[in-house]
Amino acid sequence: RTMYVIPFSMGPVGSTLSKYGVQVTDSPYVVASMGIMTRMGSPVLQKLSEGEEFVRCQHSVGQPFPLKAPLVNSWPCNPEKVLISHLPDTRQILSFGSGYGGNSLLGKKCFALRIASRIAKDEGWLAEHMLILGITSPQGVKRYVAAAFPSACGKTNLAMMKPSLPGWKVECVGDDIAWMKFDSQGKLRAINPENGFFGVAPGTSDKTNPYAMATISKNTVFTNVGETSDGGVWWEGLDPPGAGVTLTDWHGKTWKPGSSTPCAHPNSRFCAPAAQCPIIDPHWESEEGVPIDAIIFGGRRPEGVPLVYESFNWQHGVFVGAAMRSEATAAAEHKGKVIMHDPFAMRPFFGYNFGDYLAHWLSMQKRKAPTHLPRIFHVNWFRKDPSSGAFLWPGFGENSR
């Protein structure tokens, strides 16, 4: 196979909050996707030539030529021998046998969360599985919020929310990862280290997330979705295609509504440039980051957890994050409606010991320098009425409240 060398930056090139990486891969899909998800190319090479540190990312689909047997998949991978290894001490990632998103786009979860969380511990900052949004009141007061949710809890929908409250405005800085560091004044400042959105397609529609639909209208890579006979893409949650248009499922087989299998894989994805989002925040690429006033934790809890509450203080807030639970999802490895612990929405992404991680969060209130700690809240949009099984809260744009 051809080896591709990808120099990339997580965060705006030149920002003091950014970090650099180099990925070698034998997958053209990875090259195309990393070109969307990161800042890639010559400006980064320039930084590396100046001696900047970088994370070493090695990836192979694990199917060298000549093939020993015909491929059983639509694309090359080696599911029997998948190995994804992170070496935090030497800042290295080794990934073999998987062509899929998070396992092959090594700048994303592998670097920006697992390795970065360890770098953040060593350097005194935070690398978190959090969206970042700005919300402006009718009076023109703007606040930035970071929010941690496990997968399938509407993180992208919240980051691109269309508020139902008149006069309120939401703008998106990022939908998945936040790197946060205290500035000299003691304000916690956050950047979105990514350059694109790698979102779950099924359930994304003009009804649930009109801004995401506008974002993915061009320059977008789709993975494992259905295909329409007129050259479009389709997934569960979209309106049925027009008359005379037929569907092919993600396996390449003819598909009809009512089939026993889904048309798009439940974890199928779109990969789109963040700059195409109609409500991208004007400061989303600011080198110093945006000032965080509040941190929100949340999960999918059908019973017993209120719609919203605020922690008493920072220490209690860390406890709230540590005690997060949520119904399991397609992106995680478990099936069905098990309520699983997912502390800080980081269970799959911790780069070091969880006890040390909690101590690192708690240490933020003991900093020698001036420190303005954000307020911490917990939300649950997913509580159900025990008698009807229906959601008690309308969600989506109402979450602006």
Side-chain angles (χ1 to χ4, degrees):
R1 296 187 184 280
T2 303
M3 181 171 86
Y4 302 94
V5 181
I6 309 171
F8 65 95
S9 175
M10 301 308 293
V13 178
S15 165
T16 53
L17 290 163
S18 297
K19 299 284 176 193
Y20 303 103
V22 174
Q23 175 162 348
V24 293
T25 180
D26 53 10
S27 164
Y29 164 79
V30 168
V31 179
S33 303
M34 288 288 283
I36 294 171
M37 294 304 298
T38 72
R39 284 96 176 158
M40 175 176 112
S42 304
V44 182
L45 269 184
Q46 182 57 41
K47 286 286 178 194
L48 298 182
S49 72
E50 292 163 15
E52 288 280 0
E53 289 288 308
F54 63 94
V55 172
R56 291 150 178 78
C57 309
Q58 290 156 263
H59 171 253
S60 170
V61 293
Q63 284 285 9
F65 290 137
L67 292 177
K68 295 195 170 64
L71 284 176
V72 291
N73 321 70
S74 327
W75 58 17
C77 58
N78 191 342
E80 302 306 310
K81 291 191 176 168
V82 170
L83 182 68
I84 295 131
S85 178
H86 304 70
L87 307 173
D89 289 342
T90 52
R91 318 293 199 226
Q92 263 178 301
I93 303 156
L94 303 151
S95 171
F96 181 90
S98 175
Y100 169 69
N103 301 339
S104 64
L105 312 181
L106 301 184
K108 195 166 179 60
K109 307 297 194 189
C110 298
F111 179 164
L113 287 176
R114 297 190 188 106
I115 296 292
S117 64
R118 171 60 196 278
I119 297 174
K121 182 186 184 292
D122 294 346
E123 296 181 355
W125 50 281
L126 300 165
E128 299 299 329
H129 187 204
M130 292 181 180
L131 66 88
I132 309 164
L133 62 81
I135 184 160
T136 308
S137 72
Q139 292 71 41
V141 177
K142 185 169 189 177
R143 304 266 186 202
Y144 287 98
V145 175
F149 295 86
S151 55
C153 291
K155 202 146 98 269
T156 303
N157 291 348
L158 183 63
M160 299 185 196
M161 178 170 50
K162 205 172 197 168
S164 55
L165 283 172
W168 287 77
K169 181 167 78 167
V170 163
E171 289 163 301
C172 175
V173 177
D175 78 326
D176 195 41
I177 297 171
W179 286 359
M180 301 185 287
K181 194 186 248 177
F182 287 98
D183 66 13
S184 56
Q185 266 68 61
K187 191 77 190 172
L188 188 62
R189 290 194 166 264
I191 64 164
N192 167 15
E194 301 192 288
N195 195 40
F197 302 120
F198 188 68
V200 175
T204 305
S205 68
D206 286 322
K207 180 178 162 287
T208 61
N209 196 336
Y211 295 132
M213 293 298 286
T215 305
I216 63 178
S217 61
K218 60 183 183 194
N219 304 321
T220 299
V221 176
F222 295 96
T223 309
N224 291 353
V225 298
E227 211 174 340
T228 61
S229 55
D230 58 358
V233 289
W234 195 86
W235 51 79
E236 279 65 23
L238 292 181
D239 292 332
V245 178
T246 57
L247 286 167
T248 305
D249 72 9
W250 69 283
H251 280 125
K253 300 187 171 75
T254 304
W255 189 89
K256 288 186 171 59
S259 294
S260 58
T261 55
C263 182
H265 187 284
N267 198 26
S268 56
R269 298 283 173 158
F270 56 79
C271 178
Q276 289 181 187
C277 177
I279 56 158
I280 199 76
D281 192 88
H283 300 294
W284 84 280
E285 293 192 284
S286 145
E287 288 189 6
E288 62 274 12
V290 297
I292 299 296
D293 285 311
I295 291 171
I296 299 175
F297 295 120
R300 188 178 272 270
R301 299 297 299 274
E303 55 184 19
V305 177
L307 182 65
V308 57
Y309 61 90
E310 182 177 359
S311 70
F312 297 120
N313 51 42
W314 182 259
Q315 194 170 349
H316 179 233
V318 173
F319 171 78
V320 168
M324 276 170 64
R325 297 176 72 198
S326 193
E327 267 185 2
T329 71
E333 69 276 31
H334 295 269
K335 296 283 173 282
K337 303 288 183 199
V338 202
I339 306 275
M340 296 188 56
H341 287 278
D342 193 350
F344 288 78
M346 283 285 282
R347 188 182 64 88
F349 309 121
F350 291 117
Y352 62 100
N353 176 276
F354 178 45
D356 293 343
Y357 171 94
L358 289 180
H360 181 56
W361 265 80
L362 289 168
S363 75
M364 297 299 153
Q365 63 184 355
K366 298 193 203 66
R367 293 174 78 248
K368 302 276 188 290
T371 304
H372 304 289
L373 293 168
R375 290 159 67 167
I376 297 177
F377 299 83
H378 187 284
V379 297
N380 173 28
W381 326 129
F382 298 99
R383 199 165 171 182
K384 287 182 174 172
D385 179 337
S387 58
S388 70
F391 289 120
L392 289 170
W393 179 248
F396 301 112
E398 295 294 315
N399 295 341
S400 55
R401 297 178 183 277

